[in-house]
Amino acid sequence: MGQLVYACITPHGGEIVPELAGRIHFNRMAKTRESMEELGRRMTERAPEAIVVITPHGIRIDGQISIVNSETMEGYEKENGRTYTMIRDVERTLARQISEEADALGVKNGLLNYGTSEGPLSKLPLDWGAVVPLAFMPDVPIVVITPSRLVSDDDLIRFGRAVRTAIEKSDLRVGVIASCDWCHTHDASGPYGYHPLAQEVDDKIVERIKAGRLEAVSHFSPEEIDLAKPDGIWQTLILAGIIPENERLIDFLSYEVPTYFGLICAEVKK
């Protein structure tokens, strides 16, 4: 019988990866980098045989949740004139089981492949929302999941329950990463400009995660979400479905805003 062995919330800013920080900006995300190294150590100690990564930046299907089912994935992240590349095998049996369990709960989802049904040409891109946190984690097969923002909160949580059921029906030790950056309007020089709601929303997110109230990260108005621009809500709701409230053991490692977006590192299940 399979087992969920570890789960965490991580950011995905490229400069967190030491190889991408560069000499000038190496210390800019140092606090978060230290926390990510700690989360990576903890994940490694739990010896997962597969890792499920829930990312906002993978291939989206409007109104559905995408689940990668290619043979492999390959991707990169670029920062400061440097490039970090990664190739990972996909844990396809687990991916298919997650889809089946989601179907059983009536949650719309799609299995994604490319090129050929199997073999070396069956390869999809690995986005930076997965590459960055996986840079700190053990090199094991992965399942990459990307929710559409058009999926309801209830369906995201139900999908998380499907993920948990699929893990427990497998014969694998599985870790889970909810890859989440938070509000993106902290700095006028950033691509989305400045809005005071960014800090207000982030402060509430931090409070709710620390309290283990993962479902509450969605309790904002559409205007607040549009102006503050968090991108972690949807992944966190799936994580809330994977780990029921009575199992959550929160260790909040860090929060910082070194550039224009918020970064949170937190352990959710030991």
Side-chain angles (χ1 to χ4, degrees):
M1 186 170 182
Q3 183 182 2
L4 174 63
V5 296
Y6 193 69
C8 55
I9 296 171
T10 75
H12 46 257
E15 286 184 359
I16 303 168
V17 180
E19 293 88 341
L20 295 175
R23 181 177 58 84
I24 295 175
H25 300 307
F26 190 80
N27 292 323
R28 186 153 63 179
M29 295 184 180
K31 180 179 180 180
T32 297
R33 188 179 304 118
E34 181 179 354
S35 295
M36 284 300 302
E37 289 168 349
E38 178 60 25
L39 291 176
R41 283 192 290 270
R42 295 180 187 186
M43 179 77 84
T44 300
E45 287 173 0
R46 303 311 190 276
E49 297 167 295
I51 295 175
V52 172
V53 187
I54 313 163
T55 169
H57 299 305
I59 302 170
R60 291 189 194 175
I61 308 172
D62 284 352
Q64 299 189 39
I65 299 170
S66 72
I67 307 165
V68 169
N69 184 36
S70 55
E71 192 88 10
T72 59
M73 301 187 75
E74 181 174 7
Y76 64 89
E77 170 66 337
K78 290 186 176 182
E79 292 281 352
N80 301 310
R82 301 174 177 214
T83 302
Y84 183 87
T85 61
M86 177 180 290
I87 300 175
R88 290 288 186 270
D89 292 333
V90 175
E91 178 42 66
R92 303 183 76 182
T93 300
L94 180 59
R96 292 165 182 155
Q97 187 65 45
I98 291 171
S99 179
E100 289 178 13
E101 297 299 334
D103 287 343
L105 293 179
V107 181
K108 292 182 179 180
N109 70 94
L111 285 166
L112 305 179
N113 203 343
Y114 176 80
T116 58
S117 60
E118 57 187 17
L121 295 179
S122 173
K123 182 184 294 183
L124 279 165
L126 192 60
D127 70 278
W128 67 96
V131 168
V132 172
L134 286 172
F136 296 87
M137 302 295 166
D139 184 358
V140 297
I142 60 174
V143 176
V144 173
I145 292 167
T146 301
S148 164
R149 296 185 179 187
L150 301 176
V151 177
S152 71
D153 291 0
D154 286 346
D155 275 357
L156 291 168
I157 292 170
R158 286 197 297 147
F159 181 83
R161 293 177 185 144
V163 173
R164 181 63 177 268
T165 300
I167 289 171
E168 292 179 346
K169 286 184 176 181
S170 76
D171 58 357
L172 299 169
R173 295 172 56 84
V174 180
V176 174
I177 298 169
S179 179
C180 308
D181 286 338
W182 295 95
C183 293
H184 283 64
T185 56
H186 283 277
D187 191 328
S189 64
Y192 307 104
Y194 170 78
H195 199 282
L197 274 172
Q199 195 60 60
E200 293 180 29
V201 171
D202 267 5
D203 287 346
K204 291 176 181 177
I205 292 288
V206 167
E207 177 186 357
R208 293 167 189 178
I209 291 176
K210 284 182 175 180
R213 297 172 55 229
L214 302 186
E215 293 85 355
V217 300
S218 68
H219 295 175
F220 296 101
S221 69
E223 181 183 28
E224 286 174 310
I225 291 173
D226 180 59
L227 294 174
K229 291 184 170 38
D231 83 357
I233 291 172
W234 303 269
Q235 303 85 266
T236 302
L237 289 176
I238 292 176
L239 187 62
I242 295 172
I243 305 172
E245 191 170 2
N246 65 335
E247 290 185 19
R248 295 174 197 160
L249 299 171
I250 306 295
D251 184 3
F252 194 96
L253 275 67
S254 63
Y255 167 75
E256 66 172 340
V257 189
T259 58
Y260 63 91
F261 55 96
L263 307 173
I264 289 174
C265 292
E267 177 180 271
V268 180
K269 180 178 174 61
K270 295 183 178 181

